Amino acid sequence: MKRLIFTFFIFFIGGKAVAQNEITVAKNSFLREGVAFAGFSGGASLRESENENLLLVTIQQQSKKGYNLIFAGGYLLKPDLAVGAGMRFDQSRISKTLVDPDGIISEVRVAGSIITSSVYVKNFIPLTTNGRINLYNIAGIAWVADRSTSENFSQGVLTRTYTRKNALQLGISPGIQVFVVDGFATEVGVNVAGLSATRKEIAVNGVDDSSVDTLDLDLRVNILSLNISFYYYFPIGK
């Protein structure tokens, strides 16, 4: 909670300081009406482990791998306001061999994919007259489609579980933007608040088993999950 208060404090105080100093951004800044932008981000992970002892089971062998790709773009309606949209694709694969205290071995395979589409508004607060360093804040709405299939083979019995999760999310993400060279910017942001409505449905061996509806409000700031993105700004208007 202290991190959340600190983050909002920095942005509000920073905005007031900018207004009081009356920073005027040069006309050749890339933050001006008629400029569009496109960007991307992504990541990948790989984890291998053997003989990992947990409380009730031993992971004899495990392999986890996955990646995500993020694409976004938008248009500046005026120097301090833009609208945009984005897409995110996540893929993951897990393969592991489990041994319980009775020596029963289970082979587990999990494959999952997540597609997230979003629309947002983005506000800018310039920190320099040349417009190279700016604070920003994104407020948006996203639709998340999460699908996963898991297979558990134990004692000659195969159990296949299909999970379908749909979520509607509202979120706020402030950050800082730096134009490294003309038109190319690096942005670092963090999610500070979010509201999510989720419906989760589970089917086991082709038979509907359960469904769960949840509504979550998250005000935590996870400094370890910073979003680093790369953007290109280009004029398309006059």
Side-chain angles (χ1 to χ4, degrees):
M1 188 64 183
K2 290 181 180 179
R3 290 177 179 174
L4 174 65
I5 295 174
F6 176 76
T7 302
F8 277 107
F9 175 80
I10 290 297
F11 273 81
F12 282 120
I13 295 302
K16 288 185 177 180
V18 169
Q20 291 174 355
N21 292 332
E22 294 183 352
I23 292 179
T24 302
V25 179
K27 292 183 178 180
N28 61 352
S29 166
F30 280 91
L31 294 184
R32 65 180 189 272
E33 182 181 348
V35 169
F37 57 88
F40 74 94
S41 182
S45 64
L46 176 64
R47 184 175 187 269
E48 304 280 348
S49 62
E50 292 183 356
N51 299 319
E52 186 177 352
N53 293 316
L54 303 181
L55 184 61
L56 298 176
V57 69
T58 297
I59 301 177
Q60 195 174 72
Q61 187 175 17
Q62 179 175 239
S63 173
K64 289 184 177 181
K65 53 187 176 181
Y67 69 89
N68 66 75
L69 295 173
I70 304 172
F71 302 96
Y75 181 79
L76 273 80
L77 302 176
K78 53 184 182 177
D80 62 349
L81 178 65
V83 293
M87 292 288 293
R88 173 171 176 152
F89 305 90
D90 293 79
Q91 292 283 340
S92 63
R93 296 289 186 272
I94 301 174
S95 174
K96 54 187 174 182
T97 302
L98 309 177
V99 182
D100 71 10
D102 296 325
I104 298 175
I105 299 175
S106 301
E107 298 288 342
V108 179
R109 304 287 184 271
V110 181
S113 65
I114 304 174
I115 299 177
T116 304
S117 55
S118 62
V119 293
Y120 57 85
V121 293
K122 190 173 186 178
N123 297 99
F124 299 92
I125 301 176
L127 297 182
T128 59
T129 56
N130 61 8
R132 286 196 174 274
I133 304 177
N134 309 280
L135 296 178
Y136 71 82
N137 185 64
I138 295 175
I141 182 171
W143 175 258
V144 183
D146 185 346
R147 306 290 185 266
S148 66
T149 302
S150 66
E151 294 182 343
N152 187 320
F153 185 76
S154 179
Q155 296 182 302
V157 178
L158 175 63
T159 303
R160 181 178 288 111
T161 303
Y162 179 71
T163 303
R164 180 173 63 184
K165 185 190 301 182
N166 295 316
L168 184 64
Q169 300 176 342
L170 300 174
I172 299 174
S173 178
I176 187 167
Q177 174 194 71
V178 178
F179 280 93
V180 183
V181 294
D182 288 347
F184 289 92
T186 299
E187 297 185 357
V188 179
V190 61
N191 298 326
V192 300
L195 178 65
S196 176
T198 305
R199 180 172 181 81
K200 181 179 180 180
E201 299 175 336
I202 299 175
V204 179
N205 292 333
V207 179
D208 291 340
D209 184 68
S210 64
S211 63
V212 180
D213 295 311
T214 59
L215 182 63
D216 296 313
L217 175 63
D218 189 356
L219 298 178
R220 294 173 296 177
V221 179
N222 186 357
I223 199 67
L224 298 179
S225 63
L226 292 175
N227 304 313
I228 302 176
S229 304
F230 305 93
Y231 282 88
Y232 178 60
Y233 285 71
F234 53 96
I236 60 174
K238 295 181 180 180

